[in-house]
């Protein structure tokens, strides 16, 4: 009888994804708080921070409160909800800040209506938003350079989302060397895909903001890994029908593929397990001021080899740009606060068992909850 193959197990802390799109309210056919947080657990994430470009967008105390109520009733993992920066909420945003995961500033056009064009609105938000509560920016190229300048002028930390280009990562290196308080994240799709993959993925399905970049850009991200504070999926689910339509919305699902891709890179010695823990746990916990999750861990089989497929995934969107990609490393069990939340491919956590990462507060000022 052949000797039973022992699987090489690894235990990680509960991972944190600081950049996901949950689509509830407004587009639950793409994802809701239940399916999205189940996908998070299946991917090894025990806490996620949700972006505000929902329908309606989360830009007020009322929309934040109603979204947090939905999340609290359905989430299977811990969660926070960002507030979107608008031209019309510069005055009201600071009072709502402690209830949110942070402020999200959209400085370029992407999915949804949130976009801040006037740099004086950027400045007002950055000056008024409480220090100690994070600010994130969707910025690309020259808007990234501009917001770095504003972080310097206002001396407040700004987290730069989904950096994808050589010119951006090199500028961030320079800014950090100068002591400008910026941090940044890179999405796995910008590390593992380039514009050369667009023909194979299909043009509609390849739509994402920032766009897939050149191989030189991708190499620059790998060459400057020390500048990258976090890996964040930017899980942005849209259905296959939408992606294959004449007006494909930008965005890739990523919660269930991020860790397998990163573990594969570790198996190939392109990064280390410590690099993953630093960028998917230690740094996001610090940058986003997240509470500890006691008795929480993610068990991984480092030897499991398989191909990524959308079949059987928990995300509702029904596809992945990584379909058929060979990977090594599988999440086998997730324990959240002492309870098995995911095991053998099944999410066991109950909807509603996830907690708000800003637990000290429940109701933003100006909102009266029904009795
Ligand atoms: O591709 C993207 N999709 N980039 C974004 O910035 C937004 C996201 C979405 O919400 O679909
Ligand atoms: Zn973005
Ligand atoms: Zn995003």
């Amino acid at each position: 009888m052949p000797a039973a193959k022992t699987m090489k197990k690894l235990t990680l802390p509960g991972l944190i994804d600081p950049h996901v799109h949950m689509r509830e309210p407004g587009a639950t056919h793409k994802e809701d708080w239940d399916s999205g947080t189940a996908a998070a657990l299946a991917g090894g994430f025990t806490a996620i921070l949700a972006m505000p470009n929902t329908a309606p967008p989360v830009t007020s105390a009322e929309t934040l409160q109603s979204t947090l109520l939905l999340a609290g009733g359905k989430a299977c993992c811990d969660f926070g909800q960002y507030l979107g920066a608008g031209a019309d909420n510069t005055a009201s945003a600071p009072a709502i800040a402690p209830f949110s995961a942070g402020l999200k500033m959209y400085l370029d056009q992407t999915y949804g209506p949130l976009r801040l064009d006037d740099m004086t609105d950027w400045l007002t938000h950055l000056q008024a938003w409480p220090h100690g509560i994070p600010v994130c920016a969707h910025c690309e190229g020259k808007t990234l350079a501009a917001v770095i300048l504003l972080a310097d002028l206002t001396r407040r930390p700004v987290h730069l989302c989904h950096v994808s280009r050589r010119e951006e990562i090199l500028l961030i290196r320079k800014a950090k060397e100068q002591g400008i308080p910026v941090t940044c994240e890179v999405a796995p799709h910008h590390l593992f895909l380039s514009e050369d993959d667009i023909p194979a993925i299909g043009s509609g399905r390849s739509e994402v903001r920032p766009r897939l970049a050149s191989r030189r850009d991708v190499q620059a991200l790998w060459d400057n890994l020390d500048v990258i504070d976090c890996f964040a999926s930017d899980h942005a689910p849209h259905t296959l029908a939408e992606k294959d339509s004449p007006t494909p919305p930008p965005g890739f699902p990523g919660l269930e593929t991020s860790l397998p891709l990163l573990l594969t890179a570790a198996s190939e010695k392109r990064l280390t397990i410590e690099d993953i823990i630093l960028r998917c746990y230690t740094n996001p916990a610090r940058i986003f001021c997240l509470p500890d999750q006691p008795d929480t861990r993610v068990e991984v089989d480092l030897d499991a080899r398989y191909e990524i497929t959308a079949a059987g995934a928990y995300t509702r969107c029904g596809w992945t740009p990584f379909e058929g990609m060979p990977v090594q490393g599988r999440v086998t069990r997730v324990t959240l606060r002492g309870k098995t939340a995911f095991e053998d491919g099944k999410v066991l956590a109950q909807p509603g068992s996830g907690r708000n990462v800003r637990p000290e507060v429940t109701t933003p000022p100006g909102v009266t909850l029904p009795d």
Side-chain angles (χ1 to χ4, degrees):
M1 207 174 80
K5 191 172 179 297
T6 52
M7 81 177 181
K8 198 161 154 217
K9 266 183 60 174
L10 172 74
T11 302
L12 301 168
L15 303 183
I16 298 162
D17 191 338
H19 190 150
V20 305
H21 297 265
M22 281 295 155
R23 308 302 189 204
E24 186 175 11
T28 53
H29 66 287
K30 299 175 196 267
E31 202 78 286
D32 73 358
W33 278 98
D34 183 353
S35 63
T37 53
L41 287 171
F45 296 96
T46 54
I48 58 98
L49 302 181
M51 286 297 161
N53 62 337
T54 44
V58 177
T59 52
S60 65
E62 288 76 13
T63 46
L64 178 61
Q65 173 68 6
S66 59
T67 305
L68 286 174
L69 278 174
L70 287 169
K74 294 172 83 171
C76 308
C77 72
D78 292 356
F79 59 90
Q81 172 63 54
Y82 289 99
L83 187 78
D88 54 359
N89 68 357
T90 49
S92 58
I96 315 168
F99 306 86
S100 73
L103 183 73
K104 176 68 184 285
M105 299 173 51
Y106 285 94
L107 308 181
D108 294 287
Q109 186 56 48
T110 179
Y111 184 68
L114 289 175
R115 175 162 165 188
L116 270 189
D117 279 327
D118 188 327
M119 281 190 283
T120 57
D121 290 332
W122 308 11
L123 197 55
T124 311
H125 273 297
L126 289 175
Q127 282 168 337
W129 188 257
H131 283 228
I133 304 179
V135 173
C136 300
H138 175 122
C139 48
E140 302 181 32
K142 293 181 178 60
T143 53
L144 179 132
V147 80
I148 290 174
L149 172 68
L150 268 66
D152 193 20
L153 294 177
T154 57
R155 302 307 305 165
R156 68 147 306 136
V158 175
H159 180 76
L160 307 165
C161 294
H162 45 47
V163 171
S164 64
R165 292 186 185 275
R166 179 176 179 272
E167 59 173 2
E168 295 171 347
I169 198 74
L170 294 181
L171 196 66
I172 296 166
R173 173 179 291 287
K174 194 75 191 163
K176 287 184 170 188
E177 283 168 9
Q178 300 293 316
I180 300 176
V182 289
T183 53
C184 72
E185 69 187 33
V186 168
H189 53 261
H190 291 125
L191 285 172
F192 295 96
L193 297 174
S194 76
E195 60 194 8
D196 294 3
D197 296 302
I198 294 175
I201 299 170
S203 67
R205 295 186 193 187
S206 300
E207 284 291 343
V208 67
R209 299 291 176 277
R211 290 183 163 82
L212 293 180
S214 70
R215 272 164 58 184
R216 182 168 181 249
D217 288 318
V218 173
Q219 190 55 49
L221 298 179
W222 284 102
D223 291 344
N224 292 277
L225 206 58
D226 59 317
V227 181
I228 301 171
D229 299 282
C230 306
F231 296 132
S233 71
D234 196 6
H235 177 80
H238 300 284
T239 65
L240 208 43
E242 291 163 342
K243 295 295 284 183
D244 289 343
S245 76
T247 52
F252 293 164
L255 278 167
E256 289 161 274
T257 48
S258 292
L259 185 56
L261 289 165
L262 293 168
L263 290 172
T264 304
S267 77
E268 294 165 352
K269 309 255 184 294
R270 303 178 77 190
L271 43 65
T272 65
I273 297 295
E274 289 68 36
D275 284 328
I276 299 175
I277 295 174
L278 186 67
R279 290 168 183 79
C280 295
Y281 170 70
T282 318
N283 286 343
R286 173 178 51 81
I287 294 166
F288 296 93
C289 315
L290 299 179
D292 183 40
Q293 296 175 302
D295 204 1
T296 295
R297 61 196 162 273
V298 174
E299 288 162 61
V300 163
D301 173 2
L302 286 175
D303 286 334
R305 290 172 188 262
Y306 58 103
E307 287 183 1
I308 289 179
T309 176
Y314 276 88
T315 176
R316 199 163 280 166
C317 70
W319 76 286
T320 166
F322 302 104
E323 187 73 38
M325 195 177 273
V327 286
Q328 179 171 349
R330 189 195 294 279
V331 178
T332 53
R333 186 188 291 122
V334 177
T335 307
L336 174 54
R337 277 186 290 278
K339 285 203 168 130
T340 304
F342 173 85
E343 192 171 28
D344 296 334
K346 293 260 175 310
V347 172
L348 305 174
Q350 289 303 308
S353 59
R355 291 190 190 164
N356 188 347
V357 297
R358 302 282 184 250
E360 69 282 9
V361 278
T362 49
T363 310
V367 172
T368 315
L369 278 180
D371 292 329

